[in-house]
Amino acid sequence: MDSTQILGYIGALVVGLVLGLIGGGGSILTVPLLVYLLGYNPVVATAYSLFVVGTTSLVGTIQKHKEGLVDFKTGLAFSFPSFIAVYLSRRYLVPNIPETIFSVSSFELTKDMGIMIFFAIIMCIASFSMIKNKKDKNNISKNSQPYYKTFIQGLTIGTVTGVIGAGGGFLYVPALVLWAKIPMKKAVGTSLIIVTINSLIGFTGDMQTLNVEWEFLIIFTLISIAGIILGVFLSKFISGHKLKKSFGYFVLFMATYIIYKELK
């Protein structure tokens, strides 16, 4: 095992730690880690990210359920349209993106470059959400929206998360608070069940188009699971709000770095 692989596995531990400490954002680290450190192309990296994040989030869902912080009815309502969109985007949309999206003069936007830049834009949106650091809203109206709106929202977020290979917790948490009208802490727990279902079903779409390195993927995932268990334990002693804001600035830095690296 070389030093790069060791650093990759340390990164897997950090992914799980972040998920355990702040309830989301671990997937934002997984794709850059696989692409820039371990050398996978973005299509493979986004596929592997779905498996890692989905499996790790399953462990997180079980832990949050024990604390009474998972609304399964609302989570499944969002999951149904979302996993359809994630599966279809991984099975048909991503494989059919042309290798050269467009070229102007000496500049050429390739498929790999396009995926990473789109990923970086989503990272920027996520970072601003984390930095804003909204207060928990416990007194929220119980009047949720009509299901057709939830269905459309689930399709939209599912398509985005399918393309970038992220679990989408940073998108689902605000959606659950603003649209489903559930408290922030419960939204974090509920988002994990959506992320679990979406990511693992989305990954099945990739299994039909990619040759998966199962040994590496399982080891990486097991280390990430160890990280989320440790992260949940440490979250009892560390301020989640301060950590989330700091992580938001780190994500913004990473997004800027990705855009610079892809366009230089």
Side-chain angles (χ1 to χ4, degrees):
M1 187 183 295
D2 60 27
S3 58
T4 301
Q5 229 176 350
I6 293 170
L7 285 173
Y9 289 141
I10 292 172
L13 186 68
V14 174
V15 167
L17 274 170
V18 170
L19 278 167
L21 285 168
I22 67 175
S27 56
I28 292 173
L29 297 175
T30 310
V31 172
L33 181 67
L34 291 169
V35 172
Y36 297 123
L37 182 62
L38 297 176
Y40 288 95
N41 73 60
V43 174
V44 175
T46 52
Y48 285 9
S49 173
L50 287 172
F51 182 83
V52 173
V53 172
T55 307
T56 306
S57 294
L58 176 60
V59 175
T61 301
I62 294 168
Q63 291 179 301
K64 291 292 183 183
H65 175 58
K66 290 177 181 177
E67 298 174 22
L69 294 175
V70 180
D71 184 335
F72 282 98
K73 184 179 178 181
T74 303
L76 292 174
F78 267 89
S79 294
F80 177 64
S82 294
F83 79 67
I84 292 173
V86 173
Y87 176 82
L88 292 176
S89 63
R90 295 305 303 182
R91 179 70 178 89
Y92 299 106
L93 177 60
V94 174
N96 287 297
I97 297 173
E99 289 302 321
T100 300
I101 298 173
F102 72 83
S103 59
V104 179
S105 186
S106 60
F107 176 77
E108 182 179 81
L109 182 66
T110 64
K111 176 179 181 176
D112 288 351
M113 187 189 300
I115 289 174
M116 291 309 296
I117 290 173
F118 182 56
F119 185 85
I121 291 169
I122 298 300
M123 284 176 72
C124 285
I125 296 170
S127 70
F128 293 138
S129 175
M130 292 174 189
I131 292 166
K132 200 170 182 181
N133 203 13
K134 295 178 181 177
K135 293 180 180 179
D136 192 356
K137 299 178 181 178
N138 291 309
N139 300 317
I140 296 176
S141 168
K142 293 182 180 179
N143 298 319
S144 58
Q145 66 179 350
Y147 184 67
Y148 78 89
K149 290 185 178 180
T150 300
F151 192 89
I152 294 170
Q153 291 152 0
L155 283 176
T156 303
I157 299 176
T159 302
V160 171
T161 57
V163 172
I164 66 175
F170 56 88
L171 296 174
Y172 286 113
V173 171
L176 289 166
V177 172
L178 297 173
W179 299 333
K181 312 295 184 187
I182 63 176
M184 183 67 77
K185 284 187 178 181
K186 204 160 194 175
V188 170
T190 303
S191 73
L192 288 174
I193 188 174
I194 306 173
V195 169
T196 300
I197 294 171
N198 285 0
S199 300
L200 294 180
I201 290 179
F203 179 72
T204 63
D206 288 298
M207 287 172 63
Q208 299 171 60
T209 57
L210 297 174
N211 291 318
V212 180
E213 296 178 27
W214 284 108
E215 183 180 354
F216 162 77
L217 190 55
I218 289 171
I219 293 171
F220 192 97
T221 302
L222 288 174
I223 294 171
S224 184
I225 288 171
I228 198 171
I229 293 170
L230 180 60
V232 168
F233 172 74
L234 292 176
S235 68
K236 299 172 185 176
F237 311 101
I238 300 172
S239 170
H241 287 296
K242 290 181 180 177
L243 190 66
K244 196 168 189 176
K245 195 168 185 177
S246 300
F247 184 67
Y249 283 112
F250 174 72
V251 169
L252 184 60
F253 169 78
M254 284 293 297
T256 306
Y257 172 77
I258 289 171
I259 293 171
Y260 164 75
K261 190 167 179 66
E262 294 298 327
L263 295 179
K264 71 175 182 178

